[in-house]
mmCIF file of all heavy atoms in Angstrom:
data_model
loop_
_atom_site.group_PDB
_atom_site.id
_atom_site.type_symbol
_atom_site.label_atom_id
_atom_site.label_comp_id
_atom_site.label_asym_id
_atom_site.label_seq_id
_atom_site.Cartn_x
_atom_site.Cartn_y
_atom_site.Cartn_z
ATOM 1 N N SER A 212 -1.671 -7.341 2.765
ATOM 2 C CA SER A 212 -0.543 -8.206 3.106
ATOM 3 C C SER A 212 0.550 -8.127 2.035
ATOM 4 O O SER A 212 1.737 -8.190 2.360
ATOM 5 C CB SER A 212 -1.006 -9.652 3.327
ATOM 6 O OG SER A 212 -1.577 -10.189 2.158
ATOM 7 N N PHE A 213 0.160 -7.944 0.775
ATOM 8 C CA PHE A 213 1.162 -7.757 -0.271
ATOM 9 C C PHE A 213 1.905 -6.444 -0.049
ATOM 10 O O PHE A 213 3.126 -6.377 -0.191
ATOM 11 C CB PHE A 213 0.518 -7.783 -1.657
ATOM 12 C CG PHE A 213 1.517 -7.663 -2.765
ATOM 13 C CD1 PHE A 213 2.395 -8.696 -3.035
ATOM 14 C CD2 PHE A 213 1.581 -6.514 -3.527
ATOM 15 C CE1 PHE A 213 3.323 -8.592 -4.060
ATOM 16 C CE2 PHE A 213 2.509 -6.396 -4.548
ATOM 17 C CZ PHE A 213 3.387 -7.440 -4.817
ATOM 18 N N GLY A 214 1.179 -5.395 0.319
ATOM 19 C CA GLY A 214 1.806 -4.106 0.614
ATOM 20 C C GLY A 214 2.831 -4.222 1.727
ATOM 21 O O GLY A 214 3.889 -3.591 1.690
ATOM 22 N N ALA A 215 2.549 -5.053 2.741
ATOM 23 C CA ALA A 215 3.512 -5.251 3.829
ATOM 24 C C ALA A 215 4.785 -5.909 3.304
ATOM 25 O O ALA A 215 5.893 -5.541 3.700
ATOM 26 C CB ALA A 215 2.888 -6.105 4.936
ATOM 27 N N LEU A 216 4.635 -6.851 2.380
ATOM 28 C CA LEU A 216 5.822 -7.476 1.783
ATOM 29 C C LEU A 216 6.619 -6.461 0.972
ATOM 30 O O LEU A 216 7.850 -6.426 1.038
ATOM 31 C CB LEU A 216 5.411 -8.644 0.887
ATOM 32 C CG LEU A 216 4.874 -9.879 1.589
ATOM 33 C CD1 LEU A 216 4.296 -10.859 0.581
ATOM 34 C CD2 LEU A 216 5.957 -10.535 2.418
ATOM 35 N N VAL A 217 5.919 -5.628 0.209
ATOM 36 C CA VAL A 217 6.595 -4.618 -0.607
ATOM 37 C C VAL A 217 7.332 -3.633 0.291
ATOM 38 O O VAL A 217 8.481 -3.275 0.013
ATOM 39 C CB VAL A 217 5.584 -3.891 -1.520
ATOM 40 C CG1 VAL A 217 6.231 -2.707 -2.220
ATOM 41 C CG2 VAL A 217 5.005 -4.859 -2.547
ATOM 42 N N ARG A 218 6.707 -3.215 1.398
ATOM 43 C CA ARG A 218 7.371 -2.287 2.330
ATOM 44 C C ARG A 218 8.664 -2.874 2.865
ATOM 45 O O ARG A 218 9.639 -2.159 3.054
ATOM 46 C CB ARG A 218 6.445 -1.931 3.493
ATOM 47 C CG ARG A 218 5.464 -0.841 3.183
ATOM 48 C CD ARG A 218 4.771 -0.320 4.440
ATOM 49 N NE ARG A 218 4.071 -1.349 5.190
ATOM 50 C CZ ARG A 218 2.866 -1.830 4.889
ATOM 51 N NH1 ARG A 218 2.220 -1.381 3.834
ATOM 52 N NH2 ARG A 218 2.302 -2.756 5.633
ATOM 53 N N ARG A 219 8.674 -4.182 3.111
ATOM 54 C CA ARG A 219 9.901 -4.814 3.616
ATOM 55 C C ARG A 219 11.055 -4.645 2.640
ATOM 56 O O ARG A 219 12.206 -4.540 3.045
ATOM 57 C CB ARG A 219 9.667 -6.299 3.860
ATOM 58 C CG ARG A 219 8.888 -6.559 5.120
ATOM 59 C CD ARG A 219 8.517 -7.995 5.290
ATOM 60 N NE ARG A 219 9.641 -8.923 5.288
ATOM 61 C CZ ARG A 219 9.479 -10.246 5.318
ATOM 62 N NH1 ARG A 219 8.266 -10.763 5.355
ATOM 63 N NH2 ARG A 219 10.536 -11.030 5.310
ATOM 64 N N VAL A 220 10.748 -4.624 1.358
ATOM 65 C CA VAL A 220 11.799 -4.497 0.344
ATOM 66 C C VAL A 220 12.132 -3.041 0.073
ATOM 67 O O VAL A 220 13.292 -2.685 -0.103
ATOM 68 C CB VAL A 220 11.365 -5.210 -0.960
ATOM 69 C CG1 VAL A 220 12.337 -4.945 -2.086
ATOM 70 C CG2 VAL A 220 11.226 -6.704 -0.708
ATOM 71 N N LEU A 221 11.138 -2.172 0.058
ATOM 72 C CA LEU A 221 11.339 -0.783 -0.349
ATOM 73 C C LEU A 221 11.666 0.171 0.793
ATOM 74 O O LEU A 221 12.080 1.299 0.536
ATOM 75 C CB LEU A 221 10.096 -0.259 -1.073
ATOM 76 C CG LEU A 221 9.702 -0.989 -2.346
ATOM 77 C CD1 LEU A 221 8.465 -0.343 -2.951
ATOM 78 C CD2 LEU A 221 10.842 -1.014 -3.347
ATOM 79 N N ARG A 222 11.463 -0.249 2.044
ATOM 80 C CA ARG A 222 11.657 0.684 3.155
ATOM 81 C C ARG A 222 13.100 1.164 3.246
ATOM 82 O O ARG A 222 14.038 0.475 2.862
ATOM 83 C CB ARG A 222 11.218 0.044 4.467
ATOM 84 C CG ARG A 222 12.127 -1.055 4.916
ATOM 85 C CD ARG A 222 11.640 -1.657 6.207
ATOM 86 N NE ARG A 222 12.494 -2.784 6.541
ATOM 87 C CZ ARG A 222 12.094 -3.840 7.189
ATOM 88 N NH1 ARG A 222 10.860 -3.921 7.597
ATOM 89 N NH2 ARG A 222 12.924 -4.811 7.447
ATOM 90 N N ARG A 223 13.246 2.330 3.789
ATOM 91 C CA ARG A 223 14.572 2.922 4.002
ATOM 92 C C ARG A 223 14.957 2.686 5.458
ATOM 93 O O ARG A 223 14.122 2.739 6.351
ATOM 94 C CB ARG A 223 14.536 4.431 3.735
ATOM 95 C CG ARG A 223 13.980 4.803 2.392
ATOM 96 C CD ARG A 223 15.088 4.775 1.346
ATOM 97 N NE ARG A 223 14.648 5.361 0.098
ATOM 98 C CZ ARG A 223 14.219 4.658 -0.942
ATOM 99 N NH1 ARG A 223 14.118 3.367 -0.876
ATOM 100 N NH2 ARG A 223 13.874 5.253 -2.061
ATOM 101 N N GLY A 224 16.203 2.451 5.725
ATOM 102 C CA GLY A 224 16.651 2.270 7.101
ATOM 103 C C GLY A 224 16.366 0.871 7.591
ATOM 104 O O GLY A 224 15.929 0.003 6.853
ATOM 105 N N GLU A 225 16.592 0.654 8.853
ATOM 106 C CA GLU A 225 16.506 -0.677 9.420
ATOM 107 C C GLU A 225 15.127 -1.061 9.924
ATOM 108 O O GLU A 225 14.794 -2.215 9.962
ATOM 109 C CB GLU A 225 17.506 -0.818 10.576
ATOM 110 C CG GLU A 225 18.916 -0.972 10.102
ATOM 111 C CD GLU A 225 19.104 -2.183 9.191
ATOM 112 O OE1 GLU A 225 18.727 -3.305 9.580
ATOM 113 O OE2 GLU A 225 19.609 -1.989 8.085
ATOM 114 N N GLY A 226 14.314 -0.104 10.338
ATOM 115 C CA GLY A 226 13.045 -0.495 10.936
ATOM 116 C C GLY A 226 11.877 0.288 10.386
ATOM 117 O O GLY A 226 12.027 1.328 9.782
ATOM 118 N N GLU A 227 10.711 -0.270 10.626
ATOM 119 C CA GLU A 227 9.480 0.435 10.280
ATOM 120 C C GLU A 227 9.309 1.592 11.254
ATOM 121 O O GLU A 227 9.628 1.465 12.426
ATOM 122 C CB GLU A 227 8.278 -0.503 10.418
ATOM 123 C CG GLU A 227 8.242 -1.617 9.409
ATOM 124 C CD GLU A 227 7.695 -1.174 8.073
ATOM 125 O OE1 GLU A 227 7.089 -0.089 7.999
ATOM 126 O OE2 GLU A 227 7.891 -1.896 7.104
ATOM 127 N N PRO A 228 8.820 2.730 10.799
ATOM 128 C CA PRO A 228 8.555 3.811 11.735
ATOM 129 C C PRO A 228 7.442 3.410 12.705
ATOM 130 O O PRO A 228 6.630 2.556 12.392
ATOM 131 C CB PRO A 228 8.107 4.963 10.833
ATOM 132 C CG PRO A 228 7.797 4.359 9.513
ATOM 133 C CD PRO A 228 8.491 3.042 9.436
ATOM 134 N N ALA A 229 7.457 4.033 13.867
ATOM 135 C CA ALA A 229 6.423 3.730 14.857
ATOM 136 C C ALA A 229 5.065 4.163 14.330
ATOM 137 O O ALA A 229 4.954 5.046 13.493
ATOM 138 C CB ALA A 229 6.744 4.459 16.161
ATOM 139 N N GLY A 230 4.024 3.514 14.807
ATOM 140 C CA GLY A 230 2.670 3.872 14.401
ATOM 141 C C GLY A 230 2.223 3.071 13.198
ATOM 142 O O GLY A 230 2.762 2.024 12.880
ATOM 143 N N GLU A 231 1.195 3.583 12.529
ATOM 144 C CA GLU A 231 0.627 2.914 11.357
ATOM 145 C C GLU A 231 1.649 2.841 10.232
ATOM 146 O O GLU A 231 2.317 3.826 9.945
ATOM 147 C CB GLU A 231 -0.590 3.692 10.840
ATOM 148 C CG GLU A 231 -1.911 3.323 11.437
ATOM 149 C CD GLU A 231 -2.256 1.852 11.351
ATOM 150 O OE1 GLU A 231 -2.397 1.304 10.241
ATOM 151 O OE2 GLU A 231 -2.396 1.243 12.409
ATOM 152 N N PRO A 232 1.757 1.695 9.556
ATOM 153 C CA PRO A 232 2.679 1.618 8.427
ATOM 154 C C PRO A 232 2.178 2.485 7.271
ATOM 155 O O PRO A 232 0.983 2.638 7.063
ATOM 156 C CB PRO A 232 2.655 0.139 8.048
ATOM 157 C CG PRO A 232 1.416 -0.413 8.638
ATOM 158 C CD PRO A 232 1.069 0.447 9.817
ATOM 159 N N GLU A 233 3.119 3.056 6.568
ATOM 160 C CA GLU A 233 2.790 3.900 5.433
ATOM 161 C C GLU A 233 2.221 3.045 4.305
ATOM 162 O O GLU A 233 2.736 1.968 4.014
ATOM 163 C CB GLU A 233 4.079 4.567 4.949
ATOM 164 C CG GLU A 233 3.851 5.928 4.367
ATOM 165 C CD GLU A 233 5.178 6.592 4.075
ATOM 166 O OE1 GLU A 233 5.911 6.881 5.032
ATOM 167 O OE2 GLU A 233 5.450 6.794 2.886
ATOM 168 N N PRO A 234 1.133 3.467 3.654
ATOM 169 C CA PRO A 234 0.575 2.666 2.564
ATOM 170 C C PRO A 234 1.546 2.614 1.388
ATOM 171 O O PRO A 234 2.340 3.515 1.185
ATOM 172 C CB PRO A 234 -0.715 3.392 2.188
ATOM 173 C CG PRO A 234 -0.643 4.720 2.826
ATOM 174 C CD PRO A 234 0.388 4.681 3.907
ATOM 175 N N VAL A 235 1.467 1.527 0.655
ATOM 176 C CA VAL A 235 2.305 1.354 -0.523
ATOM 177 C C VAL A 235 1.399 1.391 -1.737
ATOM 178 O O VAL A 235 0.394 0.682 -1.791
ATOM 179 C CB VAL A 235 3.050 0.001 -0.471
ATOM 180 C CG1 VAL A 235 3.799 -0.251 -1.758
ATOM 181 C CG2 VAL A 235 3.995 -0.029 0.710
ATOM 182 N N ALA A 236 1.745 2.236 -2.711
ATOM 183 C CA ALA A 236 0.968 2.303 -3.947
ATOM 184 C C ALA A 236 1.427 1.172 -4.864
ATOM 185 O O ALA A 236 2.533 1.201 -5.391
ATOM 186 C CB ALA A 236 1.156 3.654 -4.624
ATOM 187 N N ILE A 237 0.600 0.157 -5.014
ATOM 188 C CA ILE A 237 0.931 -0.963 -5.885
ATOM 189 C C ILE A 237 0.507 -0.579 -7.292
ATOM 190 O O ILE A 237 -0.662 -0.272 -7.533
ATOM 191 C CB ILE A 237 0.204 -2.239 -5.421
ATOM 192 C CG1 ILE A 237 0.647 -2.594 -4.006
ATOM 193 C CG2 ILE A 237 0.481 -3.390 -6.383
ATOM 194 C CD1 ILE A 237 -0.194 -3.645 -3.353
ATOM 195 N N PRO A 238 1.441 -0.591 -8.248
ATOM 196 C CA PRO A 238 1.135 -0.108 -9.601
ATOM 197 C C PRO A 238 0.409 -1.142 -10.454
ATOM 198 O O PRO A 238 0.828 -1.468 -11.558
ATOM 199 C CB PRO A 238 2.527 0.201 -10.159
ATOM 200 C CG PRO A 238 3.412 -0.793 -9.496
ATOM 201 C CD PRO A 238 2.839 -0.957 -8.104
ATOM 202 N N TYR A 239 -0.712 -1.694 -9.942
ATOM 203 C CA TYR A 239 -1.410 -2.731 -10.687
ATOM 204 C C TYR A 239 -2.032 -2.219 -11.976
ATOM 205 O O TYR A 239 -2.392 -2.999 -12.836
ATOM 206 C CB TYR A 239 -2.448 -3.441 -9.819
ATOM 207 C CG TYR A 239 -3.545 -2.544 -9.299
ATOM 208 C CD1 TYR A 239 -4.672 -2.300 -10.050
ATOM 209 C CD2 TYR A 239 -3.439 -1.965 -8.043
ATOM 210 C CE1 TYR A 239 -5.684 -1.490 -9.574
ATOM 211 C CE2 TYR A 239 -4.438 -1.155 -7.557
ATOM 212 C CZ TYR A 239 -5.555 -0.919 -8.332
ATOM 213 O OH TYR A 239 -6.549 -0.108 -7.859
ATOM 214 N N ASP A 240 -2.153 -0.897 -12.119
ATOM 215 C CA ASP A 240 -2.710 -0.333 -13.354
ATOM 216 C C ASP A 240 -1.623 0.040 -14.359
ATOM 217 O O ASP A 240 -1.904 0.582 -15.410
ATOM 218 C CB ASP A 240 -3.581 0.884 -13.038
ATOM 219 C CG ASP A 240 -2.815 1.950 -12.279
ATOM 220 O OD1 ASP A 240 -1.728 1.653 -11.746
ATOM 221 O OD2 ASP A 240 -3.312 3.090 -12.209
ATOM 222 N N ASP A 241 -0.374 -0.271 -14.057
ATOM 223 C CA ASP A 241 0.760 0.010 -14.945
ATOM 224 C C ASP A 241 1.556 -1.288 -15.082
ATOM 225 O O ASP A 241 2.356 -1.640 -14.215
ATOM 226 C CB ASP A 241 1.621 1.124 -14.339
ATOM 227 C CG ASP A 241 2.785 1.532 -15.218
ATOM 228 O OD1 ASP A 241 3.273 0.702 -16.018
ATOM 229 O OD2 ASP A 241 3.221 2.692 -15.095
ATOM 230 N N ALA A 242 1.343 -1.994 -16.182
ATOM 231 C CA ALA A 242 1.927 -3.326 -16.361
ATOM 232 C C ALA A 242 3.446 -3.311 -16.272
ATOM 233 O O ALA A 242 4.043 -4.218 -15.673
ATOM 234 C CB ALA A 242 1.477 -3.915 -17.700
ATOM 235 N N ASP A 243 4.095 -2.312 -16.842
ATOM 236 C CA ASP A 243 5.563 -2.261 -16.810
ATOM 237 C C ASP A 243 6.086 -2.072 -15.397
ATOM 238 O O ASP A 243 7.015 -2.760 -14.973
ATOM 239 C CB ASP A 243 6.089 -1.140 -17.713
ATOM 240 C CG ASP A 243 5.856 -1.423 -19.185
ATOM 241 O OD1 ASP A 243 5.761 -2.618 -19.560
ATOM 242 O OD2 ASP A 243 5.771 -0.458 -19.966
ATOM 243 N N ARG A 244 5.485 -1.137 -14.650
ATOM 244 C CA ARG A 244 5.944 -0.896 -13.275
ATOM 245 C C ARG A 244 5.641 -2.084 -12.376
ATOM 246 O O ARG A 244 6.434 -2.438 -11.506
ATOM 247 C CB ARG A 244 5.309 0.375 -12.726
ATOM 248 C CG ARG A 244 5.915 1.627 -13.350
ATOM 249 C CD ARG A 244 5.358 2.919 -12.780
ATOM 250 N NE ARG A 244 5.504 2.982 -11.345
ATOM 251 C CZ ARG A 244 4.536 3.373 -10.508
ATOM 252 N NH1 ARG A 244 3.364 3.753 -10.981
ATOM 253 N NH2 ARG A 244 4.733 3.420 -9.217
ATOM 254 N N LEU A 245 4.495 -2.731 -12.587
ATOM 255 C CA LEU A 245 4.157 -3.902 -11.782
ATOM 256 C C LEU A 245 5.144 -5.031 -12.066
ATOM 257 O O LEU A 245 5.598 -5.713 -11.150
ATOM 258 C CB LEU A 245 2.726 -4.357 -12.056
ATOM 259 C CG LEU A 245 2.246 -5.562 -11.249
ATOM 260 C CD1 LEU A 245 2.392 -5.334 -9.751
ATOM 261 C CD2 LEU A 245 0.807 -5.887 -11.607
#
C-alpha cells in the first residue's frame, strides 16, 4: 500500500498503465534516499 502511494507521486503521465502496477523499489536500506 505504501508502494501504491509512492507510485501516485512518481508516476509519469496522467494515468496508471493498464494491467498490474509496476513495483516500486522502496529504498528502506538507504537512509538518505528514504
Side-chain angles (χ1 to χ4, degrees):
S212 62
F213 183 70
L216 290 171
V217 172
R218 278 192 303 280
R219 283 173 57 186
V220 172
L221 299 181
R222 70 180 176 211
R223 306 274 191 262
E225 284 302 307
E227 292 279 345
E231 271 306 297
E233 212 173 294
V235 174
I237 299 168
Y239 62 87
D240 57 344
D241 183 333
D243 292 334
R244 287 183 56 225
L245 181 56

